[in-house]
């Protein structure tokens, strides 16, 4: 059983910073691309940033220069450092990962439960 657990969300003032964490646990054989998505009220879920197993990164235009995605493969953890936060960044942030479980050879996608980020004065 594989789980992704996010943490680090909260309430922050405009211009502030937060760091999100997502730890993958369980019977993991291989950990591939990891990503952060977000979903604001009344809007579709959107991709925020991705990082491959080789540490190649991509960002949505709306967060470039403000957010940084990184990973620690030894800890099966992905991070999202968010700086210069704006009210428009308010959303539930979800972690996703592609994983091969032990005793299989199939890549599957997994999602975390989400963590709320609220940017407000």
């Amino acid at each position: 059983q594989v789980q992704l657990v996010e943490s680090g969300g909260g309430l922050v003032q405009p211009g502030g910073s937060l760091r999100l964490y997502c730890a993958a646990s369980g019977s993991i054989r291989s950990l591939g691309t990891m990503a952060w998505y977000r979903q604001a009220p009344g809007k579709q879920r959107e991709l925020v940033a991705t990082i491959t197993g080789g540490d190649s990164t991509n960002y949505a235009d709306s967060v470039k220069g403000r957010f940084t995605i990184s990973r620690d493969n030894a800890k099966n953890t992905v991070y999202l450092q968010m700086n210069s936060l704006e009210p428009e960044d308010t959303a539930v942030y979800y972690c996703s990962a592609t994983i091969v479980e032990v005793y299989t050879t199939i890549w599957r996608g997994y999602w975390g439960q989400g963590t709320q980020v609220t940017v407000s004065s």
Side-chain angles (χ1 to χ4, degrees):
Q1 188 84 7
V2 171
Q3 283 189 321
L4 299 181
V5 178
E6 301 106 330
S7 60
L11 173 64
V12 63
Q13 292 187 342
S17 298
L18 278 177
R19 185 173 172 88
L20 303 184
Y21 306 78
C22 173
S25 63
S27 54
I28 298 170
R29 177 180 175 183
S30 299
L31 186 60
T33 296
M34 303 185 81
W36 288 97
Y37 288 76
R38 66 186 181 186
Q39 187 166 19
K43 294 187 177 181
Q44 289 188 330
R45 189 172 297 190
E46 64 173 355
L47 179 64
V48 175
T50 64
I51 184 166
T52 68
D55 287 338
S56 293
T57 59
N58 271 298
Y59 297 91
D61 288 343
S62 59
V63 306
K64 280 181 182 177
R66 301 188 299 122
F67 291 10
T68 302
I69 189 171
S70 60
R71 63 192 286 166
D72 183 337
N73 291 325
K75 297 180 179 179
N76 288 341
T77 298
V78 64
Y79 308 94
L80 186 67
Q81 177 66 43
M82 305 186 293
N83 299 328
S84 302
L85 282 161
E86 304 167 351
E88 293 73 22
D89 296 316
T90 295
V92 177
Y93 283 70
Y94 296 91
C95 168
S96 76
T98 54
I99 293 170
V100 177
E101 291 191 57
V102 174
Y103 306 124
T104 74
T105 58
I106 300 171
W107 289 95
R108 296 186 188 275
Y110 295 85
W111 290 91
Q113 81 288 352
T115 185
Q116 177 69 47
V117 171
T118 302
V119 184
S120 175
S121 55

